Amino acid sequence: MMELRRHIEILLLSHDCVIVPNLGGFMAHHVAARYDKADGMFIPPCRLLGFNAQLNMSDSVLAQSYADAYDLSFPEAVRRVEHEVSLLKERIAKNGRYDFAGLGTLSVNSDGRYEFEPCPAGILTPSLYGFGAFEMPLLRHAVPSQVVLDTKPMSIIHPASTHRNSKLATIMSQINDNYQPSEEKTISIKVSLLRNLAVTAVAAVALILFARPVPAGEDVASASTTSEAGMLSLPSQEASSASESTADLSIVGGLEKMSRMIEESQEEGVIPESGAFTIVLAYSLPLENAKMFLSDIKSKGARKAVLMTYNGENVIAYGSYTERGDAYVQLQELIASGSVESGWIMQVK
C-alpha cells in the first residue's frame, strides 16, 4: 500500500487524473490566486485533490508506472496493482479510513461509500513551488483634516507680571489690537497651464518670423491677396476693427488647437517592450470590441492606453514600467480618477 500511495503521488506531478482500478479516480483541480479581504492576504495558486469513486475503470497509467519502476511485464504489473488495491480495501474496512500522506484521507461512510478529505495545503506541484501567501492590507485614501489657524499674533504675558505691572499689560493689549498682519497669498499655477503658455509663445514667435513681408513696390491689398497660400496674411490698414478682432480670435483658436494637439501627443501610449511591466485593462477581446473599449477609456482620461497583440490575443495595455510597484501605483490612480474600473499587472515576455 505504501508503494501504491507513492505511485499515485508521483503520477499526480504530471497528470491531473490518476485512476486506481476497482477503487476510484484521484483528480487535481487548479485553484487560481485570490485575495482575502477579511485577512488582507494574497493566497497563491494551488492544486486541490478530489476523489470520484465512479472512475474505477483502468486507464493503464498506474499499471504502466509499476511496470517501468519494477521492470515487470504489463500483465504482472496489473496483477500487482490489483493485489495492493485489495489490501487497501481490507485496511479501510477494518480501520474505517486510510491516510494517504501528503494527499489526504480516504474513509468509508455508513452507506459503504468512499469519502475523501484532501490535504488543505494542496498537492505538490513543481510549477507552483515556492509560492507563499503574503499580507497586503487595502490602501485607504486618507482625507486631510482642515486646520484653521488664527492669523492674529499671540501675546504671551506671564500672569504674575500682569498683576505686578498692569500698565505694561495695557500697552501690549493696545499693540495687539492695532497690529494688522499682512495676509500671505499663495499663487498656484498648474503645470499644464505653463506648458500651454510656452507652446503658445513658441507658436506666436514662429508666426511672426515666417510671416511674408510686404514688398516695397506692392500695395497692401495685393500683398494680402498674393500671400493667401502662406502661413499668415497681414491685415490692410483700412481694415475695420471688427475684422481685426475676427483675425485675432482665429489666431488664438489656432494656437489653442495646436496646444491641445501637442498635449495629447505627449500622452500617447507606448507598447511595452519585453521584460517591462504594464497594466492590462482588457484581455482576449474581439478586435471591434477592443477598439470600442479603447475609445471609451481614452475619453475618460486613460489616453496612454494602447491596443496590442500579445500571444495571439487582443490586449488593452497602459504604460511601460521597469518596476511592478510603479505600475501598481499608476493603476490605483486610474481607478481613483474613474478612468477605468479594474486592471492587473503583467510582465511582458
Side-chain angles (χ1 to χ4, degrees):
M1 287 180 293
M2 179 68 70
E3 295 177 357
L4 179 63
R5 187 198 70 190
R6 292 296 298 166
H7 280 275
I8 295 173
E9 184 176 4
I10 293 173
L11 288 174
L12 285 173
L13 295 177
S14 55
H15 295 75
D16 286 338
C17 181
V18 177
I19 297 178
V20 181
N22 299 322
L23 181 67
F26 292 89
M27 299 175 296
H29 303 275
H30 294 262
V31 179
R34 62 191 186 279
Y35 180 73
D36 189 351
K37 293 184 179 180
D39 298 332
M41 296 285 292
F42 274 101
I43 310 299
C46 64
R47 291 171 72 215
L48 295 179
L49 191 62
F51 181 78
N52 188 351
Q54 302 297 325
L55 300 176
N56 53 15
M57 297 296 294
S58 176
D59 59 354
S60 303
V61 175
L62 187 59
Q64 188 63 45
S65 177
Y66 270 78
D68 295 339
Y70 306 115
D71 195 18
L72 301 173
S73 63
F74 188 79
E76 292 176 343
V78 171
R79 287 193 295 269
R80 187 162 181 174
V81 171
E82 292 176 351
H83 177 67
E84 292 198 8
V85 170
S86 62
L87 293 178
L88 175 61
K89 287 185 174 181
E90 292 177 2
R91 177 71 64 85
I92 296 176
K94 180 180 179 180
N95 300 329
R97 57 186 298 164
Y98 179 79
D99 185 18
F100 290 87
L103 299 178
T105 303
L106 186 64
S107 59
V108 61
N109 58 18
S110 58
D111 297 333
R113 296 181 180 181
Y114 290 112
E115 293 182 350
F116 182 74
E117 182 179 354
C119 180
I123 60 176
L124 181 63
T125 305
S127 60
L128 304 179
Y129 181 75
F131 287 178
F134 63 92
E135 183 177 0
M136 179 178 286
L138 289 174
L139 297 177
R140 303 185 184 276
H141 296 283
V143 180
S145 58
Q146 296 181 355
V147 180
V148 180
L149 300 177
D150 189 4
T151 57
K152 291 186 178 181
M154 297 176 61
S155 59
I156 304 176
I157 302 176
H158 197 276
S161 63
T162 304
H163 292 289
R164 290 193 299 265
N165 197 347
S166 59
K167 185 177 181 180
L168 178 60
T170 303
I171 294 174
M172 293 298 296
S173 177
Q174 293 176 356
I175 292 175
N176 291 336
D177 293 338
N178 296 329
Y179 178 72
Q180 296 180 354
S182 59
E183 297 181 356
E184 295 183 358
K185 298 181 179 179
T186 303
I187 301 175
S188 60
I189 303 177
K190 295 183 178 179
V191 177
S192 59
L193 179 59
L194 293 178
R195 183 172 64 251
N196 294 340
L197 291 176
V199 172
T200 304
V202 172
V205 172
L207 291 175
I208 294 174
L209 292 178
F210 292 99
R212 180 178 179 273
V214 180
E218 185 177 1
D219 59 358
V220 177
S222 61
S224 175
T225 304
T226 308
S227 60
E228 288 179 354
M231 295 182 61
L232 179 65
S233 298
L234 297 176
S236 62
Q237 296 179 356
E238 292 82 4
S240 62
S241 60
S243 62
E244 291 178 356
S245 177
T246 304
D248 293 341
L249 291 176
S250 177
I251 294 174
V252 172
L255 294 178
E256 291 180 352
K257 182 178 180 181
M258 183 184 300
S259 175
R260 288 195 301 269
M261 292 175 61
I262 293 177
E263 182 178 0
E264 292 177 359
S265 65
Q266 292 176 349
E267 296 183 0
E268 288 292 333
V270 295
I271 297 178
E273 299 178 353
S274 178
F277 294 94
T278 188
I279 303 172
V280 177
L281 303 178
Y283 192 90
S284 186
L285 291 178
L287 182 59
E288 294 300 325
N289 293 351
K291 291 180 180 179
M292 294 176 59
F293 180 78
L294 179 64
S295 176
D296 180 59
I297 60 176
K298 279 193 172 185
S299 65
K300 294 179 180 179
R303 293 180 177 175
K304 291 184 180 180
V306 296
L307 172 60
M308 58 179 285
T309 302
Y310 184 73
N311 290 338
E313 302 289 347
N314 295 320
V315 179
I316 304 297
Y318 187 95
S320 179
Y321 309 91
T322 56
E323 299 292 338
R324 184 186 296 270
D326 297 338
Y328 180 77
V329 172
Q330 182 63 56
L331 175 59
Q332 296 298 318
E333 294 179 357
L334 289 174
I335 296 175
S337 64
S339 301
V340 298
E341 295 181 358
S342 62
W344 53 280
I345 311 303
M346 177 186 73
Q347 185 177 17
V348 180
K349 298 182 180 178

